Amino acid sequence: GESVGLHLPTLSVQEGDNSIINCAYSNSASDYFIWYKQESGKGPQFIIDIRSNMDKRQGQRVTVLLNKTVKHLSLQIAATQPGDSAVYFCAENSQTGTASKLTFGTGTRLQVTL
Amino acid sequence: DAGVIQSPRHEVTEMGQEVTLRCKPISGHNSLFWYRQTMMRGLELLIYFNNNVPIDDSGMPEDRFSAKMPNASFSTLKIQPSEPRDSAVYFCASSYQLAGGRETQYFGPGTRLLVL
């Protein structure tokens, strides 16, 4: 029979343009958020993180914005390159006693066109 | 640092067989996580350990799945008996967590499992 999988939203961006990937999180008590990049055939790779006491954090070519009021997270990639093509996941942290775990979103596929 | 090491990278087996996946976390890390990734369900947390102790196994699908962490540098995820619906990519991740901490998890390359 035909399989039905997750429908990953896809963002197509021209090389050199800026990319913005959005994520809504569910737990208002989450206090730490991470963006991961997953290339085909590889494990998720850490890109950038942000704590809930911040609303913006910048890395090399990447910026994460956090809006706790509407529980929204975004990842901005400047001057997008072909090597940025991947699936991007946001993850929120929750605590269990002294240990913590991440809950991942469904992901967004970024396609960079030449 | 070698990063998180997983073996095997690929496994093809027949329904009913036992499958053992292995993980070596990053040296010095005290938390280890097992995830499963499928097209149907995305990335799911199966179980995680802190200081070699299982903290939350609520994501383990059923009794056919078991995980152990006999020491700080090794963990196994076992499926017995395996079924075709277990076919997925299984990731191991590790982190160093302080009390109340929010430390980044680092993922291994994954084991691609196919159960025929």
Side-chain angles (χ1 to χ4, degrees):
Chain A
E2 185 177 335
S3 64
V4 178
L6 287 173
H7 175 65
L8 283 183
T10 298
L11 175 66
S12 289
V13 175
Q14 199 161 15
E15 182 181 7
D17 287 351
N18 297 333
S19 303
I20 299 177
I21 301 171
N22 296 305
C23 175
Y25 63 93
S26 57
N27 187 351
S28 58
S30 294
D31 58 1
Y32 177 56
F33 305 87
I34 307 174
W35 279 100
Y36 283 89
K37 171 187 180 183
Q38 187 176 22
E39 296 175 281
S40 181
K42 297 183 179 180
Q45 178 187 8
F46 170 85
I47 302 174
I48 191 168
D49 59 0
I50 188 168
R51 300 187 189 280
S52 60
N53 60 353
M54 304 171 68
D55 53 20
K56 180 179 180 179
R57 190 168 187 215
Q58 287 184 295
Q60 187 176 16
R61 280 203 309 120
V62 295
T63 301
V64 55
L65 299 178
L66 175 62
N67 185 330
K68 294 182 288 294
T69 303
V70 295
K71 292 189 287 187
H72 183 267
L73 200 63
S74 69
L75 177 70
Q76 300 178 0
I77 304 174
T80 311
Q81 302 170 359
D84 295 327
S85 294
V87 177
Y88 290 80
F89 295 94
C90 66
E92 58 182 305
N93 181 80
S94 60
Q95 294 291 121
T96 302
T98 58
S100 66
K101 67 177 184 179
L102 295 176
T103 301
F104 284 81
T106 54
T108 297
R109 186 180 305 279
L110 176 65
Q111 291 180 339
V112 181
T113 58
L114 303 178
Chain B
D1 196 321
V4 176
I5 299 172
Q6 291 186 247
S7 65
R9 292 294 309 276
H10 302 272
E11 177 80 26
V12 180
T13 191
E14 292 185 343
M15 182 175 62
Q17 296 298 306
E18 177 180 294
V19 175
T20 300
L21 311 181
R22 297 173 175 80
C23 176
K24 177 178 168 54
I26 292 173
S27 178
H29 282 189
N30 62 355
S31 292
L32 183 141
F33 306 79
W34 282 102
Y35 292 87
R36 178 173 68 177
Q37 188 174 41
T38 62
M39 286 296 295
M40 293 290 289
R41 301 172 68 91
L43 194 61
E44 304 172 276
L45 177 65
L46 300 177
I47 185 172
Y48 75 100
F49 297 83
N50 183 252
N51 294 320
N52 310 338
V53 176
I55 301 299
D56 184 349
D57 65 354
S58 59
M60 296 286 262
E62 48 196 274
D63 292 346
R64 296 185 298 106
F65 286 68
S66 62
K68 294 182 179 179
M69 191 164 187
N71 56 63
S73 59
F74 184 66
S75 176
T76 59
L77 177 67
K78 186 174 294 188
I79 308 172
Q80 167 63 17
S82 58
E83 297 182 3
R85 60 192 168 122
D86 302 330
S87 298
V89 182
Y90 290 82
F91 289 104
C92 177
S94 72
S95 70
Y96 177 70
Q97 293 194 5
L98 301 172
R102 307 160 192 86
E103 284 67 34
T104 303
Q105 293 179 27
Y106 294 89
F107 282 75
T111 295
R112 189 173 297 273
L113 174 65
L114 178 61
V115 183
L116 303 174

